[in-house]
C-alpha cells in the first residue's frame, strides 16, 4: 500500500460518515414533523368530536322545538275552531231570538 491510498480511504469514510449524519438529521427532522402532524390531527379529531356532539344537541333541540311548534299550532287551531263554533251557536241563538221577537211583533199587528 502506498501513502496516497490511506488518506483517500479516510476521506471516503469521512464523506460516508457525513452523508450518514445528514441522512440521520433528515430522518430526525422528518420524525419530529410527523409527531407534530400527529398532534395536530389528534387535536382536530377532538374538535370534530366536540362539534359533532354540539351539532347533535342542536338537531335535537330543533326537532323538539319543531314538534312543540306543530303541537301548539294544532292546539291553537283547535281553540279557534271552538271559538268559531261558539260564535256560530251564539249567532244562531241571537237570530232565533230576534226571529221570535219579530214574529210576535207582527202577530200583534195583525
Amino acid at each position: 500500500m502506498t501513502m496516497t491510498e490511506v488518506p483517500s480511504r479516510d476521506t471516503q469514510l469521512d464523506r460516508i460518515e457525513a452523508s450518514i449524519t445528514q441522512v440521520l438529521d433528515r430522518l430526525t427532522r422528518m420524525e419530529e414533523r410527523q409527531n407534530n402532524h400527529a398532534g395536530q390531527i389528534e387535536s382536530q379529531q377532538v374538535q370534530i368530536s366536540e362539534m359533532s356532539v354540539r351539532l347533535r344537541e342542536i338537531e335535537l333541540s330543533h326537532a323538539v322545538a319543531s314538534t312543540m311548534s306543530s303541537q301548539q299550532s294544532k292546539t291553537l287551531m283547535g281553540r279557534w275552531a271552538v271559538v268559531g263554533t261558539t260564535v256560530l251557536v251564539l249567532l244562531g241563538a241571537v237570530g232565533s231570538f230576534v226571529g221570535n221577537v219579530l214574529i210576535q211583533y207582527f202577530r200583534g199587528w195583525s
Side-chain angles (χ1 to χ4, degrees), residues 2 7-9 12-14 16 18 23-24 34 37-38 47 50 57 69 73 76 78 82 84-86 99-100 105-106:
T2 63
S8 100
R9 282 187 179 169
Q12 188 176 5
L13 285 174
D14 288 341
I16 291 173
V23 169
L24 290 175
Q34 185 179 14
H37 288 243
Q47 289 175 347
E50 289 174 358
E57 290 173 356
S69 175
S73 175
L76 187 59
V82 169
T85 303
T86 305
N100 283 331
Y105 180 74
F106 285 122

Side-chain angles (χ1 to χ4, degrees), residues 64-79:
V64 168
S66 178
T67 302
M68 293 296 289
S69 175
S70 175
Q71 288 176 350
Q72 287 176 349
S73 175
K74 288 178 184 176
T75 302
L76 187 59
M77 286 175 55
R79 287 180 184 166

Side-chain angles (χ1 to χ4, degrees), residues 5 30 40 66 88 94 107:
E5 288 182 22
M30 285 174 56
Q40 289 175 350
S66 178
L88 288 176
V94 168
R107 278 189 185 167

